[in-house]
Amino acid sequence: MTTFTVHTPETAPEGSKQILSGVKSGLGFVPNLLATMAEAPVLLEGYTTLAGILDKSDLSETERQIVLLTNNRLNGCTYCMAAHTTLSQMGGVDDVVIEALRTNTPIADAKLEALRTFAAVMNESRGWPEAAQLEAFFAAGYKQQHVLEVIVATSLKVMSNYTNHIAETELDDAFAKNVWSESDLKA
């Protein structure tokens, strides 16, 4: 496999330097995912911009993490499962919800479970949900806007999950306590 460069703000291509510097100022470190994405400034900018846009969605922090973690699991992205577990914990997502997402077990809250199920449908069907699946999502209290926001979150995960697959991104120490593998799945 090709070894991908893990950049710093100093070694990154010009179009990535400012983004990495901002991340380092905000987090105190540059996650290896972003340091790897920096090789292609357009990818790094696209990912960080889309992540910021997703934060403006009508989906709550818990709902956003449900979609993100569901996609991470389905795409087999061990890096993002660990990272988003940490981000979910920092964002106040209930530990029971996080555990359900990490183990692929139902979430007790019916509305959140409908979102988890729909996020999986969108990933597995490649955006071709059946009418009954859309209706079930709407019956749980979600709207057309939320369908489209699930697409935004799914798009974000394609960018990060695929980068991690190709680059075999090393897990950062900050996420190591939440390491995940497919052996954690219960269903």
Side-chain angles (χ1 to χ4, degrees), residues 6-25 29-31 34-35 38 44:
V6 179
H7 286 284
T8 66
E10 296 75 33
T11 66
E14 197 56 46
S16 295
K17 288 179 184 291
Q18 185 175 356
I19 296 170
L20 291 186
S21 292
V23 168
K24 187 172 183 178
S25 293
F29 76 106
V30 176
L34 301 181
L44 179 62

Side-chain angles (χ1 to χ4, degrees), residues 109-184:
D109 180 287
K111 185 174 183 183
L112 297 180
E113 176 58 16
L115 176 61
R116 183 183 81 87
T117 300
F118 186 72
V121 163
M122 289 297 287
N123 177 295
E124 292 171 334
S125 73
R126 303 298 183 257
W128 292 97
E130 295 176 8
Q133 293 166 322
L134 276 169
E135 290 308 317
F137 188 59
F138 297 143
Y142 289 101
K143 302 173 187 163
Q144 290 178 355
Q145 173 183 350
H146 300 119
V147 170
L148 301 173
E149 291 174 348
V150 167
I151 293 170
V152 172
T154 301
S155 300
L156 185 69
K157 292 292 75 192
V158 167
M159 297 166 90
S160 61
N161 295 167
Y162 289 15
T163 298
N164 288 322
H165 294 168
I166 296 294
E168 298 179 348
T169 311
E170 183 178 335
L171 190 62
D172 301 275
D173 290 342
F175 310 135
K177 70 179 180 182
N178 290 311
V179 67
W180 178 89
S181 75
E182 291 189 6
S183 66
D184 295 330

Side-chain angles (χ1 to χ4, degrees), residues 40-116:
V42 68
L43 176 61
L44 179 62
E45 182 179 359
Y47 181 79
T48 56
T49 300
L50 190 56
I53 290 168
L54 181 61
D55 287 344
K56 297 176 187 177
S57 76
D58 193 50
L59 298 171
S60 69
E61 177 66 19
T62 294
E63 291 169 320
R64 289 190 304 271
Q65 292 300 332
I66 287 170
V67 178
L68 297 172
L69 278 160
T70 297
N71 275 280
N72 293 335
R73 177 184 56 77
L74 290 169
N75 292 336
C77 187
T78 57
Y79 181 97
C80 284
M81 283 298 289
H84 279 276
T85 296
T86 303
L87 294 172
S88 293
Q89 292 164 338
M90 292 169 53
V93 176
D94 189 297
D95 289 339
V96 173
V97 171
I98 296 170
E99 182 64 16
L101 294 165
R102 288 175 59 88
T103 59
N104 189 32
T105 55
I107 299 171
D109 180 287
K111 185 174 183 183
L112 297 180
E113 176 58 16
L115 176 61
R116 183 183 81 87

